[in-house]
Amino acid sequence: MAVSGADTDKKLFLAAPRGYCAGVDRAVVTVEKALEAYGAPVYVRKQIVHNRHVVETLEERGAIFVDELDEVPDDALVVFSAHGVSPQVKNEAANRGLRTIDATCPLVTKVHHEAKRFANDDTQILLIGHAGHEEVEGTTGEAPENITLVQTPEDVDGLQLDPDRPVAWLSQTTLSVDETVETVDRIRQLHPQLINPPSDDICYATQNRQHAVKQMAPKCDLVIVVGSKNSSNTGRLVEVALESGAKASYRVDNAGEIKESWLDGVDSIGVTSGASVPETLVRGVLDLLTSKGWPQAEEETLIEESLSFALPPQLRKRRTAAR
Ligand code: SF4
């Protein structure tokens, strides 16, 4: 239904799936339930998910976000973020006797298990990912002697590997699917015996959001991606939109960051959001656009998602006990 005054020559598209994935939902609910069950403050190591709005909302409710465990008092409860932590961090928490709840996404934990299994076979592991990302730091910590980080296809040429030991690749869960394929192809040219991960490391949510943008972008003069600057999967959505035919694409944390000049001469806009973005922020963008005369958004659903993960065991027990 067109809003009164909407410009019928213009098109507004909304990609689906978008926004919250199962791992983000579980991590955010974990902090909310921990606050309910144990009371504030609840410490969280690193941002629970990479979204400014989510972090600020949880801070208002009593969560305290820290970079490292040495900022957490001895008797406190600390939650590990969705991106996962290295065994060294878990050991440090255990040695200090901290109470912990691990909100690592189970799909990140799966990659940790793969790293450990390959390392047990003395396999050299090429981890495709971004330096400094918390997920990469956590996965690397599982087998630091065996893992070499590969950030781009160009990195592959400089690799110095032991020709007598097997080589496998793993990846960060939130990468560009196409760029990762390119990197793996390049590795395989040099190491034809390259071992694949047992299953896709780039998670279902990353893949679905990228495929939905690929479908939408060719029709769009502009694609607006809602998400925070430090969200890896959000950044990839902007890249995928541009590679797939959008004339322009910008990331915004919220509607307030949309610049008037972006809309000049634009007849079609697509909107999507990263996996850590609450739907309310997307609605804010759509409301802003309709207030400027854009029609109601046409939602294009690539696939329905139904995956959900159980909460960490500490919260499951408490919920059961409370019944
Ligand atoms: S993006 Fe994928 S790996 Fe990351 S939290 Fe969501 S489901 Fe888990």
Side-chain angles (χ1 to χ4, degrees), residues 8-68:
T8 47
D9 291 336
K10 292 187 185 292
K11 290 277 187 191
L12 182 56
F13 301 105
L14 182 59
R18 64 180 175 278
Y20 267 25
C21 60
V24 163
D25 184 56
R26 173 180 185 266
V28 174
V29 172
T30 293
V31 178
E32 291 171 347
K33 294 286 176 200
L35 284 163
E36 276 172 29
Y38 300 97
V42 167
Y43 285 78
V44 183
R45 183 184 176 276
K46 308 287 184 189
Q47 291 191 347
I48 185 71
V49 298
H50 286 158
N51 185 267
R52 203 173 80 192
H53 175 86
V54 171
V55 167
E56 287 171 1
T57 304
L58 291 171
E59 274 176 341
E60 284 164 16
R61 296 178 60 177
I64 297 176
F65 292 88
V66 296
D67 269 333
E68 294 303 341

Side-chain angles (χ1 to χ4, degrees), residues 238-259:
V238 173
E239 293 169 4
V240 169
L242 292 171
E243 286 160 9
S244 307
K247 292 185 188 141
S249 181
Y250 299 106
R251 178 204 63 78
V252 295
D253 254 303
N254 53 54
E257 293 184 358
I258 294 175
K259 296 202 169 84

Side-chain angles (χ1 to χ4, degrees), residues 282-299:
V282 175
R283 290 290 146 199
V285 167
L286 298 177
D287 289 348
L288 178 89
L289 293 173
T290 49
S291 76
K292 290 179 180 297
W294 285 80
Q296 292 291 305
E298 295 172 30
E299 186 166 29

Side-chain angles (χ1 to χ4, degrees), residues 21-24 82 105-108 135 173-174 203-206 233 275 309:
C21 60
V24 163
C105 175
L107 299 182
V108 173
E135 183 186 322
T173 55
T174 50
C203 77
Y204 81 98
T206 300
N233 77 86
F309 296 125

